[in-house]
Amino acid sequence: MSVNDKPAGIKPISAPDLTRLKKKGRVITMLTAYDYFTARLLDEISIDGVLVGDSANMVFYGEKSTLSITLDQMIYHTLAVARAVRHALVIADMPFMSYQASAEEALRNAGRMIKEGRAGAVKLEGGEHIAPTVARLVEIGIPVMGHIGLVPQSIHQLGAFKVQGRDDPSAEYLKRSALALQEAGCFSMVLEMLPAELAGDISRQLTIPTIGIGAGPQCDGQILVTNDLLGLFEDFQPKFVRRYAHLAREAREACARWMEDVKNRTYPGEDESFH
Ligand code: KIV
């Protein structure tokens, strides 16, 4: 079966489906994946969207920011995810400097995400200034998710991973940006690290769904980095992360038990050997 074949009985989620879910008042769920195995687990629980986030640069590659991941790396991870997913919408993050220099470059690079990565949509960070680029992508049929608030690709300008929109001018800028991005054709928007009340106001002013991360319960949907939720990424734990498992601890314990068994020659046993 090719990555584009969806078996009968499984209805893939499209970008416009998410707006319909908002209209119905059904909360939208999304998580990140960078590989086939994780994407498959998420798809099996019928998650609505799988984001191939540029957070891969920190979580998967161990970098301190998202900035240095390349378009080729993102395409590689997106294809692995797309191969696993039969139901969810696969959204690929456009990495830093793959869309900022010009709309033409954004078009070519987003096109590669769709053609080579098999993404169903792309995500771009940025406020109202990025709206004309969004409009060009949407014009040629590429669904775009916006991302405002804490935008990690601007970390050097922001200075730290901190809550955005706390004062009036910055809250007004975020509200204006949300409307401009919706007007430009975004089908949905990530709100990252905003005060819950502001995220609620933005969610109510938009017809497209907002997907919150560290933006409180009034968003139309929620997203987390899966490795955070599973307790696989232990370097730090943001306030908004709830850990549902401690898989790094379990994995360490399992591997240490195996190592002990090998050292004391109880692995492999008779049942695990060929004769
Ligand atoms: O890169 C990422 O994982 C993201 C989410 C945190 C929204 O952009």
Side-chain angles (χ1 to χ4, degrees):
M1 195 185 315
S2 97
V3 353
N4 284 332
D5 294 336
K6 306 287 176 190
I10 295 185
K11 189 183 170 305
I13 295 209
S14 67
D17 286 337
L18 297 182
T19 305
R20 283 191 274 278
L21 290 179
K22 170 165 178 157
K23 269 203 193 116
K24 282 191 200 162
R26 207 284 251 133
V27 177
I28 296 164
T29 54
M30 295 190 182
L31 283 169
T32 59
Y34 319 120
D35 61 82
Y36 177 88
F37 164 76
T38 310
R40 191 160 164 175
L41 292 181
L42 299 181
D43 203 51
E44 282 168 357
I45 61 163
S46 299
I47 197 119
D48 297 315
V50 177
L51 173 71
V52 188
D54 58 0
S55 52
N57 210 38
M58 301 169 78
V59 175
F60 191 89
Y61 290 101
E63 293 284 348
K64 292 278 177 268
S65 77
T66 59
L67 296 176
S68 60
I69 199 161
T70 66
L71 183 67
D72 284 336
Q73 283 174 297
M74 287 302 300
I75 290 172
Y76 170 86
H77 288 286
T78 303
L79 183 57
V81 166
R83 284 194 176 119
V85 168
R86 305 190 302 175
H87 163 77
L89 178 64
V90 175
I91 304 154
D93 246 342
M94 296 292 291
F96 180 57
M97 288 319 293
S98 68
Y99 60 95
Q100 288 94 338
S102 72
E104 299 316 306
E105 204 165 13
L107 279 180
R108 255 187 293 277
N109 290 334
R112 286 191 63 200
M113 282 295 203
I114 305 288
K115 284 184 74 164
E116 298 171 42
R118 308 286 201 265
V122 297
K123 175 164 81 59
L124 266 58
E125 291 183 10
E128 53 191 353
H129 65 280
I130 212 75
T133 301
V134 170
R136 290 294 305 281
L137 296 181
V138 171
E139 210 170 61
I140 67 152
I142 297 180
V144 180
M145 182 180 218
H147 182 160
I148 60 172
L150 174 74
V151 276
Q153 291 179 15
S154 302
I155 187 62
H156 291 317
Q157 193 173 44
L158 298 174
F161 293 100
K162 60 181 182 217
V163 177
Q164 303 295 305
R166 283 209 187 275
D167 55 38
D168 285 350
S170 104
E172 281 315 308
Y173 166 75
L174 289 168
K175 286 183 184 170
R176 229 173 36 242
S177 290
L179 282 173
L181 290 165
Q182 172 174 275
E183 183 65 22
C186 279
F187 70 87
S188 169
M189 197 169 309
V190 168
L191 304 182
E192 181 162 357
M193 289 187 77
L194 300 187
E197 301 71 26
L198 174 60
D201 287 348
I202 292 176
S203 301
R204 283 184 290 276
Q205 79 172 0
L206 298 182
T207 54
I208 60 170
T210 58
I211 310 295
I213 174 162
Q218 299 175 37
C219 297
D220 303 302
Q222 296 290 330
I223 185 166
L224 275 182
V225 170
T226 304
N227 298 52
D228 286 338
L229 174 162
L230 293 178
L232 274 169
F233 186 69
E234 299 178 315
D235 291 6
F236 57 89
Q237 183 179 353
K239 174 182 160 75
F240 57 80
V241 168
R242 188 182 295 176
R243 283 197 181 141
Y244 287 82
H246 299 276
L247 294 194
R249 194 168 67 201
E250 271 197 49
R252 261 192 309 271
E253 284 166 8
C255 294
R257 274 176 34 222
W258 173 85
M259 202 167 66
E260 274 312 300
D261 288 352
V262 170
K263 284 181 178 167
N264 63 31
R265 296 196 179 277
T266 58
Y267 178 86
E270 269 306 300
D271 290 352
E272 288 134 345
S273 304
F274 299 103
H275 294 288

